[in-house]
Amino acid sequence: MATHVYVPSDAEYEEVRGQRLLGFLFFLISDCVIFGDFIFSYLYLRNASPVWPPPGIERPYLYLAAVNSIVLFGSGATMHYAMEGMRHARLRQFVWFTVATIVLGSMFLGGQAYEYTHLHDTWSGSTFGASFFTLTGLHGFHVFIGVIFLITVLIQTLRGTYTQQRHFGLTAATLYWHFVDVIWVALFFLFYIY
Amino acid sequence: MRQERSGPLLDAGFWRAVIVMGIISAVLMYVVVVFPITRFLPEASSVSVPIDKLFRFCWFFGVPILVYVNGMMIYFAIRYRHRPDDPMDAVGSQIHDNRALEAAWTIGPAVLMVALAVFSYFIIPMYYPTGQAAASAVTMEAIGHKWYFEFRYPGLKQSVMNVMHLPVGVPVTLDITSAEATDDVLTGAVLHSFWVPEFRLKQDMIPGMVVPIHFTPTEVGTYRIICSEFCGQGHSHMWGSVVVDSKPDFDRWYAAQQHAAAAPAAAINLAGGDAAAGQTLFNAKCTVCHNAAPFAQRKVGPGLAGLFNDPAHPNLVNGQKATPQNVAGILQHGAHGTMGVMPDMQANGLTPSDIANLVAFLKTLH
Amino acid sequence: MDHNATSATNTGSAVTGGHIHPPPDTFIKKYVFSLDHKVIAVQYFITGGLFFILAGLLAELMRAQLSGPNNHVLSVATYNQAYSVHGSAMVWLVIIPLLTGGFGNLVMPLQIGARDVAFPWLNMISFWLFPPAGILLFASFLYGAPEAGWTEYPPITLQMPFGTSMWCLAIFLIGISATITGLNFLVTIVKMRAPGMTYTRMPLFVWATATTAFLSMIATANLSAALAGLFIARTFHVPFYDVAKGGAPVLWQHVFWFYSHPAVYIMILPAFGLVSEIIPTFVRRPIFGYKMIAYSSAAIGLLSFMVWAHHMFTSGLEHWEQFLFMILTMTIAVPTGIKVFSWVATLWGGKIRLDSPLLFVLGFLSTFTFGGFTGILLASVPVDIHEHASYFVVAHLHYVLFGGSVFGIFAGMYYWWPKMTGRLLDERLAKWHFWLMFISFNATFLPMHWIGLLGMPRRVATYDPVYASTNLFVSISAFVLGASMLLFLYNALRSARKGEVAGPNPWGARTLEWMIPSPAPYYNFKDIPIVLSGPYDYGKPLPYANISQELATVPMH
Ligand code: HEA
Ligand code: HEA
Ligand code: CUA
Ligand SMILES: [Cu+2]
């Protein structure tokens, strides 16, 4: 590290980390609200319609989504092991599990792209389509950001930015990834089952 | 600190202030009770009376609250002001709180609010057709359009525009909604609201939703219907009226309506149209939708300048030749085409001589 | 007394205080892309002030149009655009940025004894989202500005020209900005209080800011989502609100008010907070019922999420929904009443100095209480059925927003001006400003209740001639009200040139921001202070340790 850069002491780092962690949690909460808004809209429109999905609209294919869900939850598991690696300073474990997570995340996006192109309903076609494409699209966008996020922290790690003690960026990426997983549970239930 | 509490703070001056404010409150509360609301806004439906009672009740407890908050504030500000002979660093009483006082001003308003909620609770069902109230003699529809009200009576083939008639003393249920939705951005349905201040009733007219309200008109008279939800250019002018007739008057009106539906509308005599009067009418009723400019300068409907001799548009929107008589026909019957709906003479509130005047005015536009 | 000083490390800390960043050296870093919360506050004040003048001038145009029936000062469309942009700008470009961005930034970090907010960089971003949003909103006049009011109820908003999309975008940016600010402030308040400043020793303005920050974080995130929904509905015909495809116009009203009701408390809680600061300072005694005032802020914050549908009593709700939202709405009168009564009780037995900040606060108490009371009239469903969408609502909202928030803003301005600039404002001008504004405010908005009850709907460019004389009176008063603002403008400019130098603590207040020089130095505190008890014990020694160096002239390092 260049000498003119201020290096915080451990106590200072802990303090700043606490602030950032809280800030990041707050960010996730407000992100949750954004999903909540559209989920509310979905439930409201569903409630306003005598039959659901609206007449002439088919639900998207459950099994494709189920496979996709497994892929996404799998990525949650690999993410967990990647973090374990960092916590115990096992760099190789971290790198490979992170790569696995990125691959699984991308597979999920691919699955979603396939699904989008094979649906008859459209964004502007019905209230079901409106909610479906808005919510899953928003979620897919989150996954996409998550993948970018992971690639970034991976590169950062390889360049030695993070250490066993100081790796807030990684913590944030992990939290974010798990958050996106949990949102998917709700969406899966709403659109494919309920 | 305890001894200070009942000390100088509760002195004679304080009690005097309390009493003065009490007297002011009492006077104002009396005014609230006797205030002649109906002198300013008649109570013309069965629900306006209880709603006004509730309104009075709010002011009845609100007035003392307002008097004491403002009064105490002013009294303290004067009584405890920093005087020139006080030391610079003089400080006030050291009391931090007082359980009893705080409990009182928490519980007091809570009790009032519960009372208000309970009274309101009993009034809400009065204007919605729940249970026995649904036993209305008449169930009819009120539909909001851009920018007029349409009323459908059971047993009348045609709709009645803007001016609705009701018999006094007969319970009515109004099914309130807005015009059917279309995709067109210019003619698409919008929100309106049906408000009759003298009835103390208001209901939004919502596309895709029918909301019934229930009431009994109790006084003969003509009252305003006001659109109170923003609905575009014509919102400022979207007024109708409700005429509450005695039963025989209503029956007569109703019979005339049934008769009118059967007879073909008479053609309008255009002779003697007054262009100046037409211009006033045009500005009041037509400019929301029409520019006094060439056809292409469209607002909702086409521009109307050069209507009778526009080589690009020899025919009117309904396909007929642009003659004065055919234009009068459009004003009389309305038109429904690609641009949207041109309301008919009922909806625009026009008499035959109004139409003659308007046509005379339109002829002057080039 | 000081037994808490040592156990305080978990409620706040001096650790980050150990290191002071070097001061910015270039003009750009100092005044444009500044990271300093005090500079950012001033940026908010100036930008918000400019928008206040613009939005106010729109209001004056509206009043000119309404001074008589069938006037043609503005066309109908322009009138509609004027009140839509007026309302939107006043809410999102004036009140919210001034109260949170301005006073929150200026005062909160100082009051908790911090050197800055938790994320100065985010703070800068928040600010820089604000001017573009404002420009977008006003530029929408070029592309057919929104006409459906600040509430933009569809379906009509789906039929409007591009300006409405610009409105969506502008408010979306403001929404993001406010969400970020909320998050930032909340972390700051939770994590960065000076040692010893427990939650019950926090100044009440900090309590108010914390609640506001929480509301901004949750409610405003929802606003961004709602606006994105409206935007895609307009642009890509996504049928959320399109009846022809099964959509529901009322859905928008739900998601909009789920934000916008909490938003009205975002607009009033900071004003409550600064009232709670100003009253004890000028009354020279401890604030009455500190804890109840603090907790009632939190109560109002929570309740505000549960009352949104009181704006929709005529939108065809189920009866039980109407009743539920009515009773929840009325509940808010209780915590608000606690505050009002506690403030009045604080005046009791004080040594009151009627300086301009306190005058504005007393004006606030009077007008806000009235506005709150008319709020109760609106909360009762049967009464609201008559009053909804009439000028009665317009009167209510100006009594709470102008009589509450704007009076609060001016009170705070007069109070913290010396801390911000180092100079005093002229008292005589300030008093003239107050009386002129107070009287013309009431003359403008009080008659609106009356004509509203008699049947004048809102959002109309013309009206039944029976309301002509009242409206003319209202318009004239509105012009006077506008002119009264010039007194403040003049006073502010005058103080910059020949204002008296204020010194660190011109009002003899006791919160931490007054313990340091005016204007506050960029590092705020040389040493992070230690807090020994609450801030309002007038007549007792100051409850701070470690502050003796703050006013010393020796430079640091
Ligand atoms: C904080 C918020 C705020 C504030 C301060 C104001 C201030 C004012 N408002 Fe506004 N108003 C709203 C928020 C606010 N308003 C909202 C939310 C709506 C609803 C919109 C909707 O329906 O969607 C509304 C609607 C509204 C209407 C109803 C429109 C309608 O329904 O048709 C009217 C009508 O009179 C009005 C008038 C005024 C006036 C005269 C002022 C004055 O007090 C303004 C005075 C201030 C100034 C003039 C600025 C300072 C100017 C200078 C320093 C320069 C000097 C100027 C002159 C000499 C002229 N407002
Ligand atoms: C700063 C902003 C602000 C604040 C603080 C409030 C506060 C309140 N508002 Fe207001 N309101 C608005 C801004 C605000 N409002 C705006 C902008 C609109 C219009 C939106 C639009 O359509 O454009 C609106 C509209 C509005 C409506 C919808 C009207 C309609 O469109 O039909 C209702 C209905 O319930 C309402 C109620 C209330 C209530 C109950 C309070 C309460 O919080 C008030 C509580 C305070 C008090 C009651 C006074 C102090 C208390 C005491 C002294 C104790 C004793 C009192 C009693 C026992 C009564 N408001
Ligand atoms: Cu119809 Cu307003
Ligand atoms: Cu509200």
Side-chain angles (χ1 to χ4, degrees):
Chain A
M1 287 240 156
T3 44
H4 63 270
V5 173
Y6 176 76
V7 182
S9 70
D10 278 353
E12 273 174 324
Y13 180 81
E14 267 313 302
E15 170 123 8
V16 170
R17 190 187 113 89
Q19 292 168 6
R20 290 191 183 164
L21 193 62
L22 192 64
F24 197 76
L25 282 177
F26 286 163
F27 159 72
L28 292 182
I29 291 174
S30 41
D31 209 11
C32 240
V33 174
I34 290 178
F35 279 101
D37 176 283
F38 287 109
I39 290 175
F40 173 84
S41 300
Y42 171 80
L43 294 174
Y44 187 91
L45 292 172
R46 177 190 171 102
N47 195 31
S49 170
V51 285
W52 196 258
I57 307 294
E58 285 168 39
R59 272 181 195 277
Y61 194 48
L62 174 64
Y63 294 105
L64 174 64
V67 172
N68 229 359
S69 307
I70 292 170
V71 169
L72 194 64
F73 298 144
S75 79
T78 53
M79 188 72 237
H80 175 78
Y81 286 115
M83 250 338 250
E84 283 296 296
M86 178 50 84
R87 256 186 226 121
H88 298 105
R90 294 193 289 262
L91 191 63
R92 278 169 61 94
Q93 178 182 344
F94 172 80
V95 169
W96 288 115
F97 273 104
T98 307
V99 168
T101 314
I102 292 170
V103 169
L104 287 171
S106 312
M107 276 169 67
F108 175 85
L109 285 177
Q112 204 171 27
Y114 178 86
E115 184 184 32
Y116 273 25
T117 47
H118 286 74
L119 276 176
H120 298 299
D121 198 7
T122 60
W123 205 14
S124 56
S126 73
T127 45
F128 185 89
S131 294
F132 175 80
F133 284 101
T134 309
L135 270 168
T136 55
L138 189 64
H139 178 264
F141 178 70
H142 275 73
V143 176
F144 176 72
I145 295 290
V147 169
I148 304 280
F149 200 171
L150 285 179
I151 293 175
T152 319
V153 292
L154 185 62
I155 295 172
Q156 294 277 48
T157 314
L158 295 177
R159 288 156 114 212
T161 312
Y162 299 124
T163 65
Q164 189 182 1
Q165 287 79 27
R166 300 188 178 191
H167 51 250
F168 176 74
L170 291 180
T171 314
T174 325
L175 279 174
Y176 185 80
W177 196 259
H178 290 313
F179 167 79
V180 172
D181 267 13
V182 171
I183 295 287
W184 180 250
V185 179
L187 298 191
F188 183 71
F189 175 73
L190 282 180
F191 289 118
Y192 298 91
I193 298 172
Y194 172 52
Chain B
M1 255 173 245
R2 213 156 235 297
Q3 58 277 34
E4 269 176 80
R5 245 174 235 181
S6 47
L9 293 185
L10 297 175
D11 54 8
F14 175 78
W15 293 116
R16 220 176 298 130
V18 170
I19 291 170
V20 170
M21 287 172 225
I23 295 170
I24 297 176
S25 304
V27 170
L28 290 176
M29 285 157 92
Y30 178 73
V31 172
V32 167
V33 173
V34 299
F35 187 84
I37 298 183
T38 47
R39 171 116 50 91
F40 299 97
L41 193 67
E43 291 169 340
S45 86
S46 50
V47 289
S48 32
V49 180
I51 288 181
D52 279 1
K53 281 208 181 109
L54 195 61
F55 185 69
R56 260 186 231 276
F57 171 70
C58 292
W59 282 98
F60 189 75
F61 71 73
V63 157
I65 293 175
L66 293 173
V67 168
Y68 274 97
V69 167
N70 283 287
M72 283 300 173
M73 195 178 84
I74 295 169
Y75 169 69
F76 292 152
I78 295 171
R79 165 82 168 71
Y80 295 106
R81 70 186 181 281
H82 183 99
R83 287 158 216 258
D85 52 345
D86 283 333
M88 268 319 285
D89 55 354
V91 295
S93 128
Q94 291 296 309
I95 295 171
H96 286 244
D97 48 15
N98 180 313
R99 281 278 161 72
L101 205 54
E102 286 172 279
W105 68 48
T106 309
I107 294 168
V111 170
L112 284 173
M113 291 299 95
V114 170
L116 180 58
V118 169
F119 290 155
S120 307
Y121 175 76
F122 286 112
I123 297 176
I124 294 175
M126 291 185 190
Y127 47 81
Y128 291 120
T130 44
Q132 78 274 28
S136 303
V138 189
T139 299
M140 50 182 291
E141 284 170 66
I143 302 163
H145 292 275
K146 273 178 182 158
W147 286 283
Y148 58 98
F149 298 96
E150 176 191 354
F151 301 100
R152 294 191 185 148
Y153 288 74
L156 267 192
K157 275 205 223 84
Q158 85 279 31
S159 300
V160 173
M161 302 300 178
N162 263 349
V163 184
M164 128 200 240
H165 285 248
L166 289 175
V168 71
V170 177
V172 193
T173 295
L174 258 186
D175 286 339
I176 290 185
T177 187
S178 181
E180 273 74 63
T182 63
D183 274 346
D184 188 287
V185 290
L186 278 165
T187 58
V190 294
L191 298 172
H192 300 276
S193 188
F194 175 90
W195 182 24
V196 181
E198 286 82 356
F199 289 176
R200 311 288 189 276
L201 275 181
K202 181 183 292 117
Q203 174 58 50
D204 287 4
M205 308 177 120
I206 305 167
M209 202 166 162
V210 179
V211 186
I213 60 169
H214 174 85
F215 60 98
T216 310
T218 53
E219 293 209 10
V220 173
T222 302
Y223 309 109
R224 299 156 296 164
I225 304 174
I226 298 165
C227 176
S228 55
E229 203 60 67
F230 178 74
C231 50
Q233 295 278 295
H235 169 66
S236 304
H237 284 282
M238 187 164 161
W239 299 327
S241 50
V242 44
V243 182
V244 179
D245 290 326
S246 65
K247 192 77 175 82
D249 281 350
F250 177 79
D251 289 342
R252 220 167 298 133
W253 172 83
Y254 190 75
Q257 288 293 315
Q258 281 178 320
H259 186 71
I268 285 172
N269 176 12
L270 292 179
D274 173 359
Q279 173 155 31
T280 318
L281 267 176
F282 186 82
N283 287 337
K285 307 224 167 186
C286 318
T287 44
V288 285
C289 299
H290 294 288
N291 286 318
F295 186 85
Q297 291 194 29
R298 165 173 183 209
K299 261 187 180 171
V300 176
L304 295 180
L307 183 65
F308 300 100
N309 44 19
D310 182 349
H313 296 277
N315 289 337
L316 294 176
V317 284
N318 60 4
Q320 295 169 343
K321 277 217 85 60
T323 64
Q325 204 61 49
N326 287 339
V327 168
I330 285 192
L331 298 194
Q332 196 175 2
H333 302 292
H336 194 310
T338 49
M339 293 183 197
V341 182
M342 158 80 196
D344 62 17
M345 66 185 282
Q346 295 246 18
N348 273 323
L350 302 176
T351 62
S353 73
D354 285 344
I355 292 184
N357 294 343
L358 277 168
V359 173
F361 168 67
L362 288 177
K363 283 193 207 156
T364 66
L365 287 178
H366 292 294
Chain C
M1 251 300 198
D2 58 354
H3 56 275
N4 247 347
T6 42
S7 66
T9 34
N10 49 359
T11 59
S13 144
V15 178
T16 15
H19 164 64
I20 292 178
H21 297 279
D25 40 12
T26 64
F27 180 83
I28 299 267
K29 276 195 199 156
K30 225 175 182 163
Y31 297 114
V32 183
F33 297 110
S34 171
L35 297 176
D36 181 348
H37 68 101
K38 302 179 291 296
V39 178
I40 292 177
V42 175
Q43 291 177 321
Y44 270 110
F45 281 129
I46 292 174
T47 324
L50 286 176
F51 288 131
F52 181 58
I53 294 178
L54 286 180
L57 288 174
L58 280 177
E60 302 297 351
L61 277 178
M62 283 148 57
R63 284 319 316 176
Q65 162 71 12
L66 292 179
S67 59
N70 296 315
N71 269 1
H72 292 286
V73 180
L74 304 176
S75 72
V76 173
T78 320
Y79 177 82
N80 296 342
Q81 300 176 342
Y83 70 70
S84 303
V85 175
H86 162 72
S88 310
M90 282 294 187
V91 167
W92 285 299
L93 304 181
V94 179
I95 304 297
I96 294 179
L98 287 185
L99 280 175
T100 26
F103 288 110
N105 260 318
L106 178 70
V107 179
M108 181 272 289
L110 297 177
Q111 284 195 331
I112 63 172
R115 293 231 163 96
D116 208 325
V117 294
F119 311 113
W121 198 75
L122 280 183
N123 206 12
M124 178 190 81
I125 302 273
S126 293
F127 171 75
W128 279 107
L129 288 172
F130 168 38
I135 291 167
L136 256 179
L137 180 61
F138 279 95
S140 72
F141 275 110
L142 304 177
Y143 300 87
E147 294 185 32
W150 76 292
T151 52
E152 292 295 312
Y153 283 5
I156 194 155
T157 34
L158 306 179
Q159 305 160 12
M160 289 287 175
F162 184 66
T164 304
S165 295
M166 292 171 73
W167 176 88
C168 290
L169 224 66
I171 309 307
F172 184 82
L173 290 184
I174 282 288
I176 301 290
S177 155
T179 312
I180 298 178
T181 306
L183 177 159
N184 202 347
F185 283 8
L186 208 53
V187 175
T188 310
I189 294 171
V190 173
K191 291 281 186 188
M192 292 175 65
R193 279 165 293 128
M197 183 175 282
T198 56
Y199 285 115
T200 49
R201 287 177 184 171
M202 283 192 323
L204 287 165
F205 181 76
V206 178
W207 265 97
T209 302
T211 318
T212 311
F214 177 74
L215 295 182
S216 304
M217 211 177 79
I218 306 288
T220 316
N222 172 69
L223 172 72
S224 306
L227 287 167
L230 187 59
F231 184 85
I232 57 179
R234 280 175 50 84
T235 313
F236 306 106
H237 304 286
V238 179
F240 285 123
Y241 319 114
D242 182 347
V243 185
K245 289 182 185 152
V250 178
L251 170 60
W252 165 261
Q253 300 178 17
H254 280 291
V255 291
F256 180 80
W257 289 115
F258 184 74
Y259 158 75
S260 275
H261 186 81
V264 309
Y265 295 100
I266 292 177
M267 292 185 274
I268 202 68
L269 281 170
F272 287 171
L274 53 88
V275 164
S276 307
E277 293 301 323
I278 292 170
I279 287 187
T281 306
F282 292 90
V283 175
R284 318 296 309 158
R285 58 160 290 196
I287 193 146
F288 189 94
Y290 169 93
K291 282 196 183 163
M292 289 294 263
I293 295 184
Y295 299 156
S296 62
S297 286
I300 292 174
L302 288 180
L303 280 171
S304 73
F305 283 109
M306 297 182 248
V307 304
W308 76 90
H310 66 213
H311 296 271
M312 303 164 56
F313 286 152
T314 63
S315 304
L317 297 179
E318 303 288 337
H319 303 178
W320 65 265
E321 289 172 316
Q322 289 187 337
F323 184 70
L324 181 74
F325 282 106
M326 170 175 76
I327 190 114
L328 285 168
T329 304
M330 290 175 178
T331 314
I332 296 198
V334 176
T336 319
I338 290 175
K339 282 179 187 290
V340 170
F341 296 133
S342 302
W343 291 325
V344 175
T346 309
L347 299 173
W348 194 355
K351 278 279 171 235
I352 302 173
R353 297 186 189 151
L354 274 177
D355 290 333
S356 50
L358 188 65
L359 266 186
F360 277 90
V361 162
L362 298 186
F364 167 99
L365 278 180
S366 172
T367 46
F368 174 78
T369 308
F370 191 76
F373 170 65
T374 57
I376 298 303
L377 287 173
L378 292 166
S380 164
V381 183
V383 181
D384 182 66
I385 292 291
H386 178 57
E387 291 163 343
H388 173 75
S390 73
Y391 259 74
F392 192 88
V393 176
V394 176
H396 160 73
L397 75 87
H398 285 94
Y399 260 82
V400 283
L401 275 173
F402 196 125
S405 313
V406 176
F407 272 69
I409 285 174
F410 279 118
M413 252 346 207
Y414 283 106
Y415 184 57
W416 279 301
W417 183 269
K419 187 50 57 185
M420 188 160 60
T421 64
R423 287 169 187 271
L424 290 172
L425 288 164
D426 184 70
E427 251 322 280
R428 245 165 53 95
L429 276 174
K431 291 200 166 122
W432 272 97
H433 176 203
F434 171 75
W435 286 109
L436 201 58
M437 178 166 135
F438 183 76
I439 293 167
S440 56
F441 164 80
N442 283 293
T444 307
F445 295 107
L446 198 60
M448 287 187 185
H449 294 95
W450 180 243
I451 50 178
L453 290 171
L454 290 187
M456 179 160 161
R458 64 192 288 200
R459 295 173 178 167
V460 288
T462 182
Y463 47 85
D464 195 321
V466 294
Y467 312 120
S469 50
T470 320
N471 269 304
L472 182 62
F473 177 75
V474 165
S475 290
I476 293 171
S477 313
F479 298 143
V480 179
L481 180 57
S484 74
M485 307 292 164
L486 293 176
L487 285 178
F488 176 77
L489 216 59
Y490 172 71
N491 204 350
L493 295 177
R494 188 191 157 281
S495 132
R497 284 163 144 242
K498 35 182 179 175
E500 213 180 308
V501 173
N505 194 356
W507 313 117
R510 295 170 61 94
T511 37
L512 271 171
E513 78 270 31
W514 302 105
M515 303 298 126
I516 55 177
S518 307
Y522 78 93
Y523 47 79
N524 294 354
F525 299 92
K526 290 176 188 159
D527 304 308
I528 296 297
I530 294 171
V531 179
L532 308 172
S533 83
Y536 303 117
D537 286 323
Y538 286 89
K540 299 230 178 87
L542 284 171
Y544 307 114
N546 209 18
I547 54 166
S548 51
Q549 286 304 306
E550 299 302 334
L551 294 178
T553 44
V554 222
M556 296 190 42
H557 296 297

